[in-house]
Amino acid sequence: MELKREERPWGFYEVLQDTPKFKVKKISVDPGKRLSLQMHGKRDELWTIVGGEGFVDLDHLKLNVRYGDTIDIRRGQQHRIMNTGTEPLVYVEVQTGDYFGEDDIIRYQDDYGRAVGGKE
């Protein structure tokens, strides 16, 4: 099976499985980078850290994360992850819900000039 890899300004992700009921991604965040502060309206996410270290901002609560930690993100919760280490921060994301498209993102802050305050 060939993985679908998507490059992003903060690193990349690969879709490991995409079904009507769930989607699984492996996400790699480069050292010193972070994703946008965002939320989703149609899906929940469960993140399991499998490499590196960093922190997660979950509804304004800062959580340090490292190998083996899991973060449960519910629809409507603002969230972002940042790599604070020197190696890639890698996590597996399991999405469940009604819709798994990349356009189910509302951004509140972004370091890379992408639209804020609206959908992807």
Side-chain angles (χ1 to χ4, degrees):
M1 173 179 123
E2 186 175 327
L3 299 179
K4 178 184 172 191
R5 181 177 168 132
E6 291 282 334
E7 299 292 331
R8 292 290 187 258
W10 43 259
F12 68 90
Y13 71 82
E14 294 173 326
V15 176
L16 305 178
Q17 192 160 9
D18 191 357
T19 78
K21 295 201 175 253
F22 67 92
K23 183 183 241 183
V24 181
K25 292 180 178 180
K26 180 180 103 177
I27 298 173
S28 181
V29 183
D30 294 334
K33 301 288 185 168
R34 65 183 181 174
L35 279 67
S36 59
L37 180 63
Q38 60 187 258
M39 77 89 153
H40 310 290
K42 298 181 181 177
R43 69 177 184 246
D44 301 317
E45 297 177 345
L46 181 65
W47 296 352
T48 301
I49 308 301
V50 296
E53 61 186 336
F55 77 83
V56 170
D57 184 347
L58 182 61
D59 276 345
H60 309 291
L61 178 65
K62 302 260 191 271
L63 307 166
N64 290 315
V65 293
R66 60 188 171 101
Y67 177 81
D69 290 340
T70 59
I71 304 294
D72 188 12
I73 301 163
R74 303 320 250 167
R75 288 169 228 214
Q77 286 188 299
Q78 288 186 19
H79 60 279
R80 85 165 18 153
I81 192 166
M82 178 175 185
N83 183 342
T84 58
T86 58
E87 301 294 324
L89 171 59
V90 181
Y91 61 101
V92 175
E93 174 182 284
V94 178
Q95 301 174 4
T96 55
D98 304 320
Y99 177 73
F100 309 116
E102 290 301 307
D103 58 345
D104 181 30
I105 298 174
I106 296 175
R107 285 197 177 87
Y108 297 95
Q109 293 178 341
D110 184 70
D111 297 342
Y112 312 105
R114 295 174 294 182
V116 173
K119 292 190 173 189
E120 173 92 352

